Amino acid sequence: MKSQARPIVIAFWIVAAGADAGMAVLPPGPQAFSDTARAEPALRDIDGWINSEPLTLEGLRGQVVLVDFWTYGCINCLNTLPYVKAWHEKYKSQGLAVVGVHTPEYPYEKSSANVRAAVAKLGIPYPVAQDNQYATWKAFDNHFWPALYLIDRQGRVVYWHFGEGRYAQTEEKIRQLLAQPAAAGS
């Protein structure tokens, strides 16, 4: 019996040590390149749009779409922001559409005025959807801030990553998806 409990104790110790060191411990899963794409979720019940008229993922079909779940009070989200902004600038003319989905963690982050002020202060140039009701968050079955999802030109989520890091891998996946031709009729 002791030999069966030992791996569980070791796993618990690793998670606890990571938490004490301030590291995010994420569940294993398809956070990187995935050969298994899933159907495209929708931008649901958006409370308001910043930098754009209302968008739909169906309307963006034919483009590669990067959906960034974030909130302005999250330091990890703010740390990923320079990468997301750089990808937007570098690849928008090649067919990348970036959509920020601001899903609040705290009540004060639900204020449209606060979100607009944060978007302006942070210099975010791409569309930002305000997801106060968590409808889009739930449609993506998301559980983390920040979370990046890449949707291919056919409307399938083909890559996702939670937390900071994997910037080179994410950019490589963006380049791969942009290199693929759009489907006929897109």
Side-chain angles (χ1 to χ4, degrees), residues 61-64 94-95 151-155 177-182 186:
R61 186 78 39 93
Q63 297 182 65
V64 173
Q94 297 175 44
I151 300 171
D152 69 9
R153 296 180 190 272
Q154 290 73 45
L177 292 171
L178 289 171
Q180 296 174 356
S186 291

Side-chain angles (χ1 to χ4, degrees), residues 12-161:
F12 176 78
W13 179 81
I14 290 170
V15 169
D20 283 345
M23 298 169 38
V25 180
L26 300 177
Q31 299 174 36
F33 302 115
S34 172
D35 293 331
T36 306
R38 55 186 186 149
E40 167 188 305
L43 300 170
R44 294 201 176 121
D45 300 326
I46 298 301
D47 296 282
W49 286 89
I50 302 168
N51 297 336
S52 175
E53 294 297 317
L55 298 173
T56 65
L57 293 178
E58 295 82 12
L60 295 171
R61 186 78 39 93
Q63 297 182 65
V64 173
V65 180
L66 172 64
V67 177
D68 175 26
F69 283 92
W70 71 291
T71 185
Y72 71 82
C74 166
I75 189 65
N76 303 102
C77 298
L78 298 179
N79 289 342
T80 64
L81 189 58
Y83 296 93
V84 176
K85 288 170 49 178
W87 296 328
H88 167 73
E89 289 302 319
K90 187 173 182 179
Y91 298 111
K92 67 182 175 184
S93 65
Q94 297 175 44
L96 178 69
V98 175
V99 178
V101 178
H102 185 275
T103 309
E105 186 173 8
Y106 301 107
Y108 66 88
E109 293 171 327
K110 289 184 176 187
S111 163
S112 293
N114 289 352
V115 177
R116 287 185 181 284
V119 167
K121 179 180 177 185
L122 296 167
I124 297 173
Y126 47 81
V128 174
Q130 198 170 345
D131 184 30
N132 285 350
Q133 307 310 311
Y134 284 67
T136 298
W137 174 282
K138 291 174 186 171
F140 275 78
D141 193 27
N142 189 46
H143 301 276
F144 306 102
W145 292 276
L148 300 174
Y149 293 85
L150 279 170
I151 300 171
D152 69 9
R153 296 180 190 272
Q154 290 73 45
R156 298 170 298 182
V157 176
V158 294
Y159 173 94
W160 52 99
H161 176 70

